Amino acid sequence: MTFTRETDHGTPPALATGKSVTLTIDGETVTMPEGTSIMRAASLTGCSIPKLCATDNVESFGSCRLCLVEVEGRNGYPASCTTPIVEGMVVRTQSERLKQLRRGVMELYISDHPLDCLTCPANGDCELQEQAGAVGLRDVRYGYDGATNMGQAKDQSNPYFDFDPSKCIVCSRCVRACDEVQGTFALTIEGRGFDSKVSPSQGQDFLSSECVSCGACVQACPTATLTEKKVVEIGTPDRAVVTTCAYCGVGCTFRAEMRGAELVRMVPWKEGKANRGHSCVKGRFAWGYAQHRDRILKPMIRASVEEPWREVSWEEAIAHTASEFKRIQSQYGTRSIGGITSSRCTNEETFLVQKLIRQGFGNNNVDTCARVCHSPTGYGLKTTFGTSAGTQDFDSVMQSDVILVIGANPTDGHPVFASRMKKRLRQGAKLIVIDPRRTDLVKSPHVEAAHHLPLRPGTNVAMLTALAHVIVTENLFDEAFIRERCDWDEFMDWAAFVAEPSRSPEAVEPLTGVKAEDVRAAARLYATGGNGAIYYGLGVTEHSQGSSTVMAIANLAMATGNIGREGVGVNPLRGQNNVQGACDMGSFPHEFSGYRHVSDDAVREQFEQAWGVALDAEPGLRIPNMLDAATDGTFKGIFIQGEDILQSDPNTHHVAAGLAAMECVVVQDLFLNETANYAHVFLPGSTFLEKDGTFTNAERRIQRVRKVMAPLNGYGDWEIVQLVAQAMGLNWSYSHPSEIMDEIAALTPTFAGVHYDRLDAEGSLQWPANDAAPDGTPTMHIDGFVRGRGKFVVTDYVPTDEKTGPRFPLLLTTGRILSQYNVGAQTRRTANEAWHPEDRLEMHPSDAENRGIKDGDWVSLKSRAGETSLRALITERVAPGVVYTTFHHPDTQANVITTDYSDWATNCPEYKVTAVQVMPSNGPSDWQRDYASQARHSRRIAPLEAAE
């Protein structure tokens, strides 16, 4: 298969005006949208105009002067990239004079460029080389030594790409990509004339600079100035497969570019509707874990967690798993086992796990990681709007006038979406940030929040009610929208509730710690500033009032009419790549796929007919209930697909006790993670590069995952689940994930129109995709809410039971960082460790000074639930009385600290509010040292001879 780069039309599409322009290019009459550049119009007709500074990922620049054209009736030779088409224009892209001008320009470039093409890593994939041929350059009158740039040292500090200034042609594409696409503004052009050169930040190397390693500069570079180390190591790719990233909920689409069976690079696909050709450091570069030496490729079993692992054949492992589950059910009853689906696996794999539990185990004891992150989203949005998902696509933010971000840190957790949001903010949209920390969105280059409301952790509901108080008492609500689309009586009850003086900004200021005048100003801006969009994350859901907060957000959107069109809406920023899909597929113990309750006789009958068994009408156990039942002695076996609950779930000691009490813990994963310390069977999983299927991102976008390489363990994850099901006596015979999706579509109304052929042809679909919405649904609730009329819900503020006091005077909250992902199982096995090698505890300088703590000191972090140690990071990003840490490293075990308090409706843990004390420490705690020793012991693998 011949490798070709994606077509680059030179300049971005014109903003849609609905008007067209007819012109003539090289004698051919063409019609294009108004505002299109001559270069793009020519490219779309199959005519390639030479270019170097132009690329369709950034705005036109007009500096290289290689793309000159002739326009009839105009003097001179305009640059085609900066010249828009007009009606009746006649353009010539080739003439003797143009050839002469272009060769002269290219001569200047080549004279200052080293001609080491045969040994250059971009040889055969270099635009400078390609364009020199395109203009017919055969001789250079000025010499070839590249004297100006030769001798400049390479910057090899970045773990993923090199910067070789000797090859730079100062086209500014990297600088513009950093500014316009990423929005970091980390690069600049330093110097003038022949001394001009690209410089990261203020003369720093790339690793030390503000560069976030998104790869936009590397992708934009037309030469080998910025080159990925893997290209140098392996060579240029010879084929490409389009697939979907397996990190966060943005769901970026990539071209996995291969050389033979080796992956060379992941290039963000310009046709990807979620990422629009952009990426972050994780999706672009951090895929090396797929072939890391820690990866387990052979099944293993052991009778006791005290014994070493024993490698066995797949046949023995599957038979043993099925036998143990059957034994446990025979001894303890049908409901004594269950399972957890993975939000990192495909829709098809997740669907099969919940089907295995319901059809094969005979119960509804299935749950997923959304229990500990976004289960309040499902409950809150289904209650108010009628569907358990966000309302908009990511493109919608470009139509927003006011953006309210609450409990989310998009620049770290959802960086590609954050770049698009920042672009809209630079265009003039206003920003409100509600967060205890001063995140990057509060103030960063060319972006500053109009209002930052640094509320005290745990007071989200009080804050949102205060905002609602202003909107209602100042008559800023949209009465026409409410009367037409919502239940007016419920609105009146809600309005009377929020209007009470006890819920005014002034009254709640002592609770939230936010000045009343700031709350009032933010409320007025959101209600009157035009299209208002709300984006939220785990800082909303991971509270004892998570569901109440989600409903309070929905109340605000309905009250102001900010639902049902582009630029508005309520948008949860999902954490993992397929957490939306895992929920869609029926991974909760009370719901089948499509969020239909297991007690619904008609729905259950549909599944019973399809699966040929009677299904349980009683909801099963949630994850916390499974662990409680295990310690009580009634829950004895669990199948865990791709989740590390020992590190990710709250109160680590309780999780460990629950797992230790079970007789058969089966873990299906890539690595021997922390949960596997308590496992009896380990079934090696496959990475996203090794499987076919689909992921559903945070905007309900269903996208194809395509196999790039053969599974190193021998099986895809869906095949492993099918083998277990067959060993349990189920008659499964899927031959490809497309057949699983056909079953999903047949049983799930919102997926009825989803089939692989459509996804392959169209790239993606957003559910609901069915007869009522054959092309999918980018924006929800346009003509009415799914539930009928929008439901206003009174959300009273109930303080958490987790209280500060003399013993635990500080509040701990947690979150993510850009370079690491979740529990770090993947990213810690890549070069991303260079940016975040350990979790740190952020403390305000006043809190640190009071305790005699300096930056970098080891500190003890202690709560009512447990204690750990880590190093301090002294910063004013957190307010006095609040400390913050990430949870990416198992040797910190931040969830040892978190408590059992959880959301009243869904049991989502209250990770974001934990009362703690911080004191100086001499290093890791005794518990951490003991745990590390136990973990090493549990990972022992018996010698191969013994296994045989």
Side-chain angles (χ1 to χ4, degrees), residues 794-815:
V794 170
T795 54
D796 201 1
Y797 168 63
V798 179
T800 175
D801 289 334
E802 179 71 351
K803 300 290 194 298
T804 57
R807 289 182 60 210
F808 304 104
L810 305 174
L811 284 176
L812 168 71
T813 187
T814 62

PDB file of all heavy atoms in Angstrom, residues 794-815:
ATOM      1  N   VAL A 794     -35.945  21.116  42.773  1.00  0.00           N
ATOM      2  CA  VAL A 794     -35.439  21.868  43.919  1.00  0.00           C
ATOM      3  C   VAL A 794     -34.214  21.151  44.475  1.00  0.00           C
ATOM      4  O   VAL A 794     -34.260  19.955  44.778  1.00  0.00           O
ATOM      5  CB  VAL A 794     -36.525  21.999  45.002  1.00  0.00           C
ATOM      6  CG1 VAL A 794     -35.936  22.572  46.289  1.00  0.00           C
ATOM      7  CG2 VAL A 794     -37.662  22.884  44.506  1.00  0.00           C
ATOM      8  N   THR A 795     -33.100  21.860  44.559  1.00  0.00           N
ATOM      9  CA  THR A 795     -31.841  21.265  45.012  1.00  0.00           C
ATOM     10  C   THR A 795     -31.358  22.020  46.246  1.00  0.00           C
ATOM     11  O   THR A 795     -30.647  23.014  46.149  1.00  0.00           O
ATOM     12  CB  THR A 795     -30.775  21.329  43.899  1.00  0.00           C
ATOM     13  OG1 THR A 795     -30.639  22.692  43.457  1.00  0.00           O
ATOM     14  CG2 THR A 795     -31.168  20.462  42.719  1.00  0.00           C
ATOM     15  N   ASP A 796     -31.762  21.517  47.379  1.00  0.00           N
ATOM     16  CA  ASP A 796     -31.371  22.156  48.631  1.00  0.00           C
ATOM     17  C   ASP A 796     -29.917  21.813  48.947  1.00  0.00           C
ATOM     18  O   ASP A 796     -29.455  20.704  48.677  1.00  0.00           O
ATOM     19  CB  ASP A 796     -32.285  21.675  49.761  1.00  0.00           C
ATOM     20  CG  ASP A 796     -32.275  22.636  50.939  1.00  0.00           C
ATOM     21  OD1 ASP A 796     -31.585  23.671  50.858  1.00  0.00           O
ATOM     22  OD2 ASP A 796     -32.968  22.341  51.929  1.00  0.00           O
ATOM     23  N   TYR A 797     -29.220  22.780  49.498  1.00  0.00           N
ATOM     24  CA  TYR A 797     -27.827  22.548  49.882  1.00  0.00           C
ATOM     25  C   TYR A 797     -27.767  21.788  51.207  1.00  0.00           C
ATOM     26  O   TYR A 797     -28.304  22.235  52.222  1.00  0.00           O
ATOM     27  CB  TYR A 797     -27.081  23.876  50.012  1.00  0.00           C
ATOM     28  CG  TYR A 797     -25.725  23.759  50.672  1.00  0.00           C
ATOM     29  CD1 TYR A 797     -24.712  23.001  50.078  1.00  0.00           C
ATOM     30  CD2 TYR A 797     -25.467  24.400  51.893  1.00  0.00           C
ATOM     31  CE1 TYR A 797     -23.470  22.892  50.686  1.00  0.00           C
ATOM     32  CE2 TYR A 797     -24.225  24.298  52.497  1.00  0.00           C
ATOM     33  CZ  TYR A 797     -23.231  23.540  51.885  1.00  0.00           C
ATOM     34  OH  TYR A 797     -22.011  23.419  52.486  1.00  0.00           O
ATOM     35  N   VAL A 798     -27.143  20.620  51.166  1.00  0.00           N
ATOM     36  CA  VAL A 798     -26.960  19.805  52.367  1.00  0.00           C
ATOM     37  C   VAL A 798     -25.455  19.661  52.585  1.00  0.00           C
ATOM     38  O   VAL A 798     -24.773  19.023  51.784  1.00  0.00           O
ATOM     39  CB  VAL A 798     -27.611  18.418  52.219  1.00  0.00           C
ATOM     40  CG1 VAL A 798     -27.377  17.582  53.475  1.00  0.00           C
ATOM     41  CG2 VAL A 798     -29.090  18.547  51.913  1.00  0.00           C
ATOM     42  N   PRO A 799     -24.903  20.260  53.612  1.00  0.00           N
ATOM     43  CA  PRO A 799     -23.451  20.163  53.821  1.00  0.00           C
ATOM     44  C   PRO A 799     -23.008  18.709  53.948  1.00  0.00           C
ATOM     45  O   PRO A 799     -23.720  17.862  54.491  1.00  0.00           O
ATOM     46  CB  PRO A 799     -23.236  20.927  55.134  1.00  0.00           C
ATOM     47  CG  PRO A 799     -24.439  21.799  55.274  1.00  0.00           C
ATOM     48  CD  PRO A 799     -25.570  21.046  54.655  1.00  0.00           C
ATOM     49  N   THR A 800     -21.842  18.431  53.426  1.00  0.00           N
ATOM     50  CA  THR A 800     -21.287  17.088  53.539  1.00  0.00           C
ATOM     51  C   THR A 800     -21.028  16.730  55.002  1.00  0.00           C
ATOM     52  O   THR A 800     -20.770  17.599  55.837  1.00  0.00           O
ATOM     53  CB  THR A 800     -19.984  16.964  52.744  1.00  0.00           C
ATOM     54  OG1 THR A 800     -19.411  15.667  52.973  1.00  0.00           O
ATOM     55  CG2 THR A 800     -18.979  18.013  53.145  1.00  0.00           C
ATOM     56  N   ASP A 801     -21.110  15.440  55.276  1.00  0.00           N
ATOM     57  CA  ASP A 801     -20.793  14.974  56.632  1.00  0.00           C
ATOM     58  C   ASP A 801     -19.299  15.036  56.923  1.00  0.00           C
ATOM     59  O   ASP A 801     -18.880  14.893  58.072  1.00  0.00           O
ATOM     60  CB  ASP A 801     -21.289  13.533  56.812  1.00  0.00           C
ATOM     61  CG  ASP A 801     -22.805  13.448  56.875  1.00  0.00           C
ATOM     62  OD1 ASP A 801     -23.424  14.447  57.268  1.00  0.00           O
ATOM     63  OD2 ASP A 801     -23.362  12.399  56.500  1.00  0.00           O
ATOM     64  N   GLU A 802     -18.497  15.226  55.874  1.00  0.00           N
ATOM     65  CA  GLU A 802     -17.048  15.335  56.057  1.00  0.00           C
ATOM     66  C   GLU A 802     -16.727  16.758  56.500  1.00  0.00           C
ATOM     67  O   GLU A 802     -16.853  17.716  55.731  1.00  0.00           O
ATOM     68  CB  GLU A 802     -16.330  14.995  54.741  1.00  0.00           C
ATOM     69  CG  GLU A 802     -14.825  15.107  54.801  1.00  0.00           C
ATOM     70  CD  GLU A 802     -14.160  14.008  55.631  1.00  0.00           C
ATOM     71  OE1 GLU A 802     -14.863  13.231  56.306  1.00  0.00           O
ATOM     72  OE2 GLU A 802     -12.923  13.922  55.589  1.00  0.00           O
ATOM     73  N   LYS A 803     -16.325  16.899  57.745  1.00  0.00           N
ATOM     74  CA  LYS A 803     -16.128  18.227  58.331  1.00  0.00           C
ATOM     75  C   LYS A 803     -14.659  18.443  58.719  1.00  0.00           C
ATOM     76  O   LYS A 803     -13.965  17.510  59.135  1.00  0.00           O
ATOM     77  CB  LYS A 803     -16.976  18.369  59.596  1.00  0.00           C
ATOM     78  CG  LYS A 803     -18.478  18.212  59.383  1.00  0.00           C
ATOM     79  CD  LYS A 803     -19.066  19.378  58.616  1.00  0.00           C
ATOM     80  CE  LYS A 803     -20.593  19.401  58.704  1.00  0.00           C
ATOM     81  NZ  LYS A 803     -21.236  18.215  58.125  1.00  0.00           N
ATOM     82  N   THR A 804     -14.225  19.680  58.566  1.00  0.00           N
ATOM     83  CA  THR A 804     -12.916  20.059  59.099  1.00  0.00           C
ATOM     84  C   THR A 804     -13.047  20.323  60.596  1.00  0.00           C
ATOM     85  O   THR A 804     -14.147  20.555  61.117  1.00  0.00           O
ATOM     86  CB  THR A 804     -12.374  21.312  58.400  1.00  0.00           C
ATOM     87  OG1 THR A 804     -13.326  22.371  58.545  1.00  0.00           O
ATOM     88  CG2 THR A 804     -12.122  21.044  56.920  1.00  0.00           C
ATOM     89  N   GLY A 805     -11.904  20.279  61.277  1.00  0.00           N
ATOM     90  CA  GLY A 805     -11.881  20.517  62.716  1.00  0.00           C
ATOM     91  C   GLY A 805     -10.451  20.637  63.179  1.00  0.00           C
ATOM     92  O   GLY A 805      -9.514  20.686  62.370  1.00  0.00           O
ATOM     93  N   PRO A 806     -10.227  20.671  64.480  1.00  0.00           N
ATOM     94  CA  PRO A 806      -8.862  20.835  64.991  1.00  0.00           C
ATOM     95  C   PRO A 806      -7.897  19.750  64.518  1.00  0.00           C
ATOM     96  O   PRO A 806      -6.732  20.033  64.232  1.00  0.00           O
ATOM     97  CB  PRO A 806      -9.065  20.787  66.514  1.00  0.00           C
ATOM     98  CG  PRO A 806     -10.478  21.205  66.726  1.00  0.00           C
ATOM     99  CD  PRO A 806     -11.239  20.674  65.553  1.00  0.00           C
ATOM    100  N   ARG A 807      -8.376  18.489  64.429  1.00  0.00           N
ATOM    101  CA  ARG A 807      -7.493  17.401  64.000  1.00  0.00           C
ATOM    102  C   ARG A 807      -7.242  17.426  62.505  1.00  0.00           C
ATOM    103  O   ARG A 807      -6.156  17.092  62.047  1.00  0.00           O
ATOM    104  CB  ARG A 807      -8.091  16.049  64.400  1.00  0.00           C
ATOM    105  CG  ARG A 807      -8.062  15.738  65.895  1.00  0.00           C
ATOM    106  CD  ARG A 807      -8.643  14.360  66.150  1.00  0.00           C
ATOM    107  NE  ARG A 807      -7.892  13.321  65.464  1.00  0.00           N
ATOM    108  CZ  ARG A 807      -8.430  12.181  65.030  1.00  0.00           C
ATOM    109  NH1 ARG A 807      -9.721  11.938  65.195  1.00  0.00           N
ATOM    110  NH2 ARG A 807      -7.672  11.282  64.437  1.00  0.00           N
ATOM    111  N   PHE A 808      -8.274  17.812  61.726  1.00  0.00           N
ATOM    112  CA  PHE A 808      -8.167  17.811  60.271  1.00  0.00           C
ATOM    113  C   PHE A 808      -8.690  19.148  59.746  1.00  0.00           C
ATOM    114  O   PHE A 808      -9.837  19.254  59.304  1.00  0.00           O
ATOM    115  CB  PHE A 808      -8.957  16.638  59.683  1.00  0.00           C
ATOM    116  CG  PHE A 808      -8.552  15.297  60.228  1.00  0.00           C
ATOM    117  CD1 PHE A 808      -9.340  14.632  61.155  1.00  0.00           C
ATOM    118  CD2 PHE A 808      -7.356  14.712  59.835  1.00  0.00           C
ATOM    119  CE1 PHE A 808      -8.961  13.406  61.671  1.00  0.00           C
ATOM    120  CE2 PHE A 808      -6.965  13.484  60.343  1.00  0.00           C
ATOM    121  CZ  PHE A 808      -7.768  12.826  61.266  1.00  0.00           C
ATOM    122  N   PRO A 809      -7.858  20.180  59.775  1.00  0.00           N
ATOM    123  CA  PRO A 809      -8.328  21.539  59.495  1.00  0.00           C
ATOM    124  C   PRO A 809      -8.361  21.927  58.015  1.00  0.00           C
ATOM    125  O   PRO A 809      -8.900  22.979  57.674  1.00  0.00           O
ATOM    126  CB  PRO A 809      -7.311  22.405  60.244  1.00  0.00           C
ATOM    127  CG  PRO A 809      -6.046  21.590  60.200  1.00  0.00           C
ATOM    128  CD  PRO A 809      -6.483  20.153  60.287  1.00  0.00           C
ATOM    129  N   LEU A 810      -7.758  21.121  57.149  1.00  0.00           N
ATOM    130  CA  LEU A 810      -7.670  21.472  55.732  1.00  0.00           C
ATOM    131  C   LEU A 810      -8.618  20.613  54.909  1.00  0.00           C
ATOM    132  O   LEU A 810      -8.996  19.509  55.317  1.00  0.00           O
ATOM    133  CB  LEU A 810      -6.235  21.277  55.221  1.00  0.00           C
ATOM    134  CG  LEU A 810      -5.129  22.013  55.974  1.00  0.00           C
ATOM    135  CD1 LEU A 810      -3.760  21.604  55.435  1.00  0.00           C
ATOM    136  CD2 LEU A 810      -5.311  23.518  55.864  1.00  0.00           C
ATOM    137  N   LEU A 811      -8.977  21.099  53.709  1.00  0.00           N
ATOM    138  CA  LEU A 811      -9.802  20.325  52.785  1.00  0.00           C
ATOM    139  C   LEU A 811      -8.945  19.881  51.609  1.00  0.00           C
ATOM    140  O   LEU A 811      -8.298  20.707  50.940  1.00  0.00           O
ATOM    141  CB  LEU A 811     -10.979  21.149  52.281  1.00  0.00           C
ATOM    142  CG  LEU A 811     -12.140  21.354  53.248  1.00  0.00           C
ATOM    143  CD1 LEU A 811     -13.187  22.274  52.649  1.00  0.00           C
ATOM    144  CD2 LEU A 811     -12.781  20.019  53.628  1.00  0.00           C
ATOM    145  N   LEU A 812      -8.935  18.587  51.350  1.00  0.00           N
ATOM    146  CA  LEU A 812      -8.217  18.025  50.213  1.00  0.00           C
ATOM    147  C   LEU A 812      -9.165  17.848  49.041  1.00  0.00           C
ATOM    148  O   LEU A 812     -10.275  17.316  49.190  1.00  0.00           O
ATOM    149  CB  LEU A 812      -7.611  16.667  50.582  1.00  0.00           C
ATOM    150  CG  LEU A 812      -7.072  15.834  49.408  1.00  0.00           C
ATOM    151  CD1 LEU A 812      -5.793  16.457  48.846  1.00  0.00           C
ATOM    152  CD2 LEU A 812      -6.831  14.388  49.833  1.00  0.00           C
ATOM    153  N   THR A 813      -8.746  18.275  47.860  1.00  0.00           N
ATOM    154  CA  THR A 813      -9.457  17.962  46.630  1.00  0.00           C
ATOM    155  C   THR A 813      -8.431  17.397  45.643  1.00  0.00           C
ATOM    156  O   THR A 813      -7.226  17.611  45.800  1.00  0.00           O
ATOM    157  CB  THR A 813     -10.182  19.196  46.062  1.00  0.00           C
ATOM    158  OG1 THR A 813     -10.994  18.814  44.943  1.00  0.00           O
ATOM    159  CG2 THR A 813      -9.201  20.272  45.618  1.00  0.00           C
ATOM    160  N   THR A 814      -8.908  16.655  44.646  1.00  0.00           N
ATOM    161  CA  THR A 814      -7.999  15.943  43.741  1.00  0.00           C
ATOM    162  C   THR A 814      -8.349  16.229  42.286  1.00  0.00           C
ATOM    163  O   THR A 814      -9.433  16.716  41.975  1.00  0.00           O
ATOM    164  CB  THR A 814      -8.059  14.419  43.979  1.00  0.00           C
ATOM    165  OG1 THR A 814      -9.397  13.960  43.707  1.00  0.00           O
ATOM    166  CG2 THR A 814      -7.677  14.065  45.398  1.00  0.00           C
ATOM    167  N   GLY A 815      -7.422  15.896  41.394  1.00  0.00           N
ATOM    168  CA  GLY A 815      -7.670  16.100  39.970  1.00  0.00           C
ATOM    169  C   GLY A 815      -6.580  15.501  39.114  1.00  0.00           C
ATOM    170  O   GLY A 815      -5.703  14.783  39.602  1.00  0.00           O
TER     171      GLY A 815
END
